[in-house]
Amino acid sequence: MSVSPAAPASVSASASASAPTQAELLGFVRRAAADADLIASLPLDPEGRTWVRLDGPGGSEAWLIGWPPGTGTGWHDHADSVGAFMTASGELKENALAVRLPTDGWTTLELTEGVDRERRLTAGQGRAFGRHHVHEVLNESTDRHAISVHAYYPPLPRIRRYSRAGRIMRLEQVERPEDWQ
């Protein structure tokens, strides 16, 4: 399910002359996640993620996302975009790599030990991240939705999706905006 209304005035951001920083994106997702009316406006589906596009700062791409119990993104990155996300309700788990993967020219890599990072983000917690950040986001609850706000700049040029078995990471697919519109 996807709906795309304009963001409420309380969280919309006017375009600026310069690209938003990671700190500005984090500030935006923090304000949006604290907007109870916005969070309550998201339709939730018991089986699949739902989302609403928001008006992010400085021309960024922003989303309000609902996560049914047991759902997740799978391993992916946001290519050349920086970003931020914040949990508005429930709890999300982020598994991430503390190493930058090569951006092109590979399909299989063996990761070294010690590169895995895990964060549990409850309501009001989030993080910013840089270009080529590889992670997966999960709602591990068995009975409760989670809701989060995400922002990316520049708007996502592509998403690379990966599979992972132990220390082996494989590039499975490259998606472009026309694939998810």
Side-chain angles (χ1 to χ4, degrees):
M1 173 180 193
S2 172
V3 285
S4 299
S10 62
V11 296
S12 65
S14 60
S16 64
S18 62
T21 65
Q22 289 178 37
E24 290 168 331
L25 294 174
L26 186 59
F28 170 81
V29 298
R30 180 174 286 118
R31 289 187 304 278
D35 183 332
D37 291 337
L38 175 66
I39 302 311
S41 74
L42 180 66
L44 299 177
D45 182 312
E47 296 179 16
R49 285 191 294 158
T50 54
W51 55 89
V52 174
R53 184 144 188 183
L54 304 175
D55 180 20
S60 64
E61 181 172 345
W63 298 93
L64 176 64
I65 301 175
W67 305 78
T71 60
T73 60
W75 286 95
H76 68 282
D77 70 19
H78 305 101
D80 296 317
S81 296
V82 298
F85 71 99
M86 178 80 49
T87 303
S89 70
E91 178 179 281
L92 292 172
K93 176 182 173 185
E94 179 196 33
N95 293 318
L97 299 180
V99 63
R100 185 173 172 171
L101 299 181
T103 57
D104 292 303
W106 67 277
T107 56
T108 303
L109 290 175
E110 183 174 353
L111 302 172
T112 59
E113 290 190 35
V115 299
D116 290 298
R117 300 294 180 266
E118 177 184 307
R119 291 177 181 85
R120 295 208 175 261
L121 303 166
T122 59
Q125 295 180 317
R127 68 182 308 259
F129 53 87
R131 288 169 169 68
H132 309 289
H133 176 68
V134 177
H135 69 163
E136 67 175 347
V137 179
L138 308 159
N139 177 5
E140 293 185 323
S141 172
T142 59
D143 62 354
R144 186 169 180 213
H145 268 80
I147 298 175
S148 58
V149 181
H150 303 247
Y152 312 98
Y153 189 87
L156 297 174
R158 61 186 172 169
I159 294 176
R160 288 182 288 254
R161 298 215 177 262
Y162 306 97
S163 63
R164 181 161 180 198
R167 291 177 25 190
I168 304 300
M169 179 79 67
R170 287 186 174 80
L171 175 64
E172 297 291 343
Q173 181 177 3
V174 177
E175 297 175 0
R176 291 181 168 49
E178 57 270 17
D179 297 326
W180 61 78
Q181 296 289 336

